């Protein structure tokens, strides 16, 4: 089953496919094992910022690690944020990165044109969608601004939420879904990214809420599975309400990265991997409530 079909099926069944981010290569093994041991289905994800600013080296290195530890029927390999304009406001030559992901066997890609105007974002996303669809790969686009990756000072969370700062516009979402030809739409509805800048990446994320009515309106307008970025640190009740309203994929990065880094000590990779394994199992069983999704989605057929 393709990544596109899997996420559509999750939406149909009222559940969610988590995507776990890999900023450090040794995280692939415990994430894949935890997903399989929960009889769940998840994407192993890497974003450009994670090989540029952390230690996942390259998208090829993650794909190679994935091949060693993948759990067929449980795990998929996905490319997260390839920005057109990155968090430091530099233009990125994104097409070569997308082509490398196709060659490396990625099953989904994300093109993030959210720092462009609407027409520019639609143009870049459609270009990538058309390219990857030829080989059956899913394309995710982003509309609106999920805050948090920027290097400058952060706005207080309450201010972001109450003023709906950067939230995805509903009319724009309708047009974007139709014209960009993407399969999944990443939306800004209250979640925020964990910090990636050196100075702030170890801080605890503020606890975020979700604007569930806004999610429902976006889903109705776009008619596509919605993606929630910044899945760490959202109150669980909001996550579950968000899934009901249209979220079918949720990205989790910061909290498993911090589980790894805090337990690494003087290079104790085994302890760090063990912490990631435990945290992923807790997230699946206790927060996302998606233990046994494999049975729900596929009836455990191979
Ligand atoms: Zn994101």
């Amino acid at each position: 089953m393709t990544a596109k079909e899997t996420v559509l099926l999750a939406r149909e069944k009222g559940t969610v496919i988590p995507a776990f981010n890999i900023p450090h290569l040794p995280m692939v093994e415990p994430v894949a094992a935890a997903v399989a041991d929960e009889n769940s289905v998840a994407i192993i994800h890497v974003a450009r910022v994670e090989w540029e600013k952390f230690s996942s080296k390259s998208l090829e290195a993650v794909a190679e690690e994935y091949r060693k530890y993948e759990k067929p029927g449980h795990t998929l390999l996905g490319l997260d944020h390839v920005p057109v304009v990155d968090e430091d406001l530099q233009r990125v030559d994104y097409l070569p990165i997308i082509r490398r992901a196709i060659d490396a066997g990625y099953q989904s890609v994300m093109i993030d044109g959210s720092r462009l105007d609407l027409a520019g974002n639609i143009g870049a996303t459609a270009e990538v969608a058309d390219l990857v669809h030829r080989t059956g790969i899913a394309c995710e686009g982003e509309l609106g601004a999920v805050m948090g990756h920027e290097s400058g000072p952060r706005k207080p969370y309450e201010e972001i939420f109450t003023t709906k700062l950067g939230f995805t516009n509903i009319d724009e979402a309708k047009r974007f879904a139709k014209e960009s030809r993407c399969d999944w739409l990443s939306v800004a509805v209250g979640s925020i990214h964990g910090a990636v800048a050196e100075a702030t990446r170890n801080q605890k994320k503020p606890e975020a809420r979700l604007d569930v009515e806004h999610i429902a309106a976006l889903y109705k307008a776009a008619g596509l599975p919605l993606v929630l970025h910044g899945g760490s640190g959202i109150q669980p009740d909001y996550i579950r309400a968000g899934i009901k309203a249209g979220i079918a994929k949720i990205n989790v990065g910061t909290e498993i990265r911090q589980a790894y880094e805090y337990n690494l000590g003087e290079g104790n990779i085994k302890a760090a991997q063990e912490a990631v394994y435990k945290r992923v199992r807790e997230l699946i069983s206790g927060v996302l409530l998606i233990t046994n999704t494999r049975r729900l989605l596929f009836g455990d057929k191979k």
Side-chain angles (χ1 to χ4, degrees), residues 81-219:
H81 290 271
V82 175
V84 177
V85 174
D86 74 9
E87 62 284 353
D88 300 318
L89 304 181
Q90 302 298 310
R91 290 294 291 210
V92 174
D93 194 8
Y94 54 92
L95 278 180
I97 301 175
I98 301 291
R99 289 202 187 93
R100 280 168 48 203
I102 296 171
D103 291 342
Y106 279 75
Q107 292 158 288
S108 69
V109 301
M110 185 209 180
I111 178 72
D112 175 2
S114 65
R115 292 189 182 90
L116 305 176
D117 63 17
L118 180 62
N121 191 356
I122 288 172
T125 307
E127 184 183 25
V128 170
D130 291 347
L131 176 65
V132 302
H133 283 161
R134 282 182 224 151
T135 42
I137 297 169
C139 179
E140 176 180 337
E142 177 164 301
L143 184 65
V146 180
M147 305 285 173
H149 276 171
E150 314 72 36
S151 309
R154 312 193 99 186
K155 283 231 170 17
Y157 180 75
E158 277 311 310
E159 190 184 323
I160 294 176
F161 195 83
T162 50
T163 62
K164 299 195 175 204
L165 184 68
F167 276 27
T168 308
N169 175 286
I170 290 161
D171 294 330
E172 289 186 1
K174 188 171 184 174
R175 183 175 157 203
F176 187 87
K178 191 153 76 185
E179 296 179 16
S180 77
R181 301 189 280 283
C182 69
D183 303 295
W184 310 327
L185 180 59
S186 163
V187 290
V189 288
S191 65
I192 49 170
H193 283 121
V196 292
E198 291 272 3
T200 48
R201 61 171 66 159
N202 290 331
Q203 291 171 3
K204 191 174 178 340
K205 271 182 78 173
E207 191 165 73
R209 306 200 298 273
L210 296 177
D211 188 331
V212 177
E213 275 175 33
H214 200 79
I215 294 171
L218 286 170
Y219 180 68

